[in-house]
Amino acid sequence: MVEPSQASIMRRKRLIRVISISIAVALLTIGMKFLAWILTGSVGLLSDAAESVVNLVAAAVALVVILWATRPADEDHTYGHEKADYLSAGFEGALILLAAVTIAYAAIDRLIHPTELTEVGIGLAVSAAASILNLLAARLLIRTGNRESSLVLVADGRHLMTDVITSVGVMVGVGLVWLTGWNTLDPIIALAVAINIVRTGVGLVSDSMSGLMDKALPEDELARVSEVLDHYEARDIHFHALRTRKAGRRTFISVHVLVPGEWSVKQGHDLAEQVEGDLRDRFDQATVFTHLEPIEDPVSFEDTGLDRTSNPHT
């Protein structure tokens, strides 16, 4: 196993500290939101409390994934463990979708059997306090996740931010029920919450699938790669078979470098080192593979596919 660097150790500690805060906030807000539901009897506030349970489960899963994903590479995982981030994001997206189904079920039941709300003022105050805690935690998660290139933290933060937005909608709706006496509005609000959080769940599952399927880098990051290669193209060095992907915070880039056949091994090696170094400088953490080929050899231009079915030299 490769020994982790001091920077990796410190990053791991930062991620664990932030996700631990998220777990603590989830535990606290679960209690507060269920108290708000008990006080009021609002199915809208119940839906809000149910999503907080999902927050807790998702944060716990995220902690496990962080502990796994931040482990150094070993003999069985020579590229590291950072793809575990995508498993967490996918799982969290699935949990959000499950919460939406649960909320919709409770809302439909309340539409059929409407109930008058009680103690709305106190219930809304408790729910508002819980939402403020979630807002602070969400901002911390997203800010840290973006800085540390952690999809797990960003996904958890986006989930919490969605929870905050839906909580505000629920509180406004429950307040309107309180003021107007129109009890049917409560389950309608809960259904709207369910529809809204489905969008977040689908987005997280989509991000997870893209990562697990080795989708190419997004356009803005591909532009960074092109900027480097274009610089060398201007010096009559050519490239093809460019492939990119991402695994957590690590970027993988592979490209074939076409140079004059008369160059010495050292000349080709020095150029490849320069290209790889320039590409690494454009990313937070990148692994770059280059393959040198003589530009005069026609076989070089046949060697662009992902799989080669035969040896062109035989």
Side-chain angles (χ1 to χ4, degrees), residues 71-189:
R71 293 175 61 190
D74 55 38
E75 291 183 1
D76 292 327
H77 305 87
T78 53
Y79 287 102
H81 302 79
E82 297 198 24
K83 267 200 171 182
D85 278 9
Y86 297 115
L87 296 177
S88 174
F91 183 76
E92 186 158 349
L95 284 177
I96 292 175
L97 294 175
L98 178 61
V101 172
T102 304
I103 292 168
Y105 177 82
I108 292 170
D109 181 70
R110 183 56 62 88
L111 274 173
I112 298 172
H113 307 99
T115 302
E116 187 174 346
L117 305 186
T118 60
E119 302 291 347
V120 175
I122 299 175
L124 288 178
V126 172
S127 184
S131 295
I132 291 172
L133 288 174
N134 273 342
L135 175 62
L136 295 174
R139 292 184 63 182
L140 175 63
L141 286 163
I142 294 173
R143 184 172 63 249
T144 306
N146 286 329
R147 186 176 64 244
E148 302 290 346
S149 298
S150 171
L151 181 62
V152 176
L153 291 190
V154 172
D156 204 32
R158 283 170 55 187
H159 183 179
L160 269 183
M161 194 61 76
T162 301
D163 188 27
V164 172
I165 294 169
T166 54
S167 293
V168 171
V170 167
M171 287 186 288
V172 170
V174 171
L176 289 174
V177 173
W178 186 25
L179 293 173
T180 64
W182 188 26
N183 293 319
T184 307
L185 183 59
D186 182 38
I188 291 175
I189 292 166

Side-chain angles (χ1 to χ4, degrees), residues 175-251:
L176 289 174
V177 173
W178 186 25
L179 293 173
T180 64
W182 188 26
N183 293 319
T184 307
L185 183 59
D186 182 38
I188 291 175
I189 292 166
L191 282 172
V193 169
I195 294 170
N196 184 53
I197 66 176
V198 162
R199 293 191 303 111
T200 299
V202 170
L204 287 174
V205 171
S206 175
D207 289 346
S208 174
M209 291 299 295
S210 292
L212 291 174
M213 295 300 293
D214 288 334
K215 184 178 179 180
L217 297 180
E219 288 187 8
D220 60 322
E221 295 186 21
L222 282 174
R224 293 184 225 165
V225 176
S226 296
E227 182 182 356
V228 172
L229 301 187
D230 288 347
H231 169 72
Y232 287 95
E233 291 269 6
R235 294 164 50 184
D236 208 26
I237 305 299
H238 300 280
F239 304 88
H240 64 207
L242 173 66
R243 294 186 178 87
T244 62
R245 67 182 178 91
K246 216 171 178 67
R249 70 195 295 247
R250 183 178 294 278
T251 299

Side-chain angles (χ1 to χ4, degrees), residues 11 147-149 224 249 251 280-286:
R11 176 179 182 267
R147 186 176 64 244
E148 302 290 346
S149 298
R224 293 184 225 165
R249 70 195 295 247
T251 299
R280 284 194 296 270
D281 288 343
R282 297 299 193 279
F283 296 91
D284 176 52
Q285 191 171 18

Side-chain angles (χ1 to χ4, degrees), residues 281-297:
D281 288 343
R282 297 299 193 279
F283 296 91
D284 176 52
Q285 191 171 18
T287 297
V288 183
F289 303 98
T290 55
H291 175 65
L292 284 173
E293 296 177 320
I295 196 169
E296 302 89 352
D297 190 347

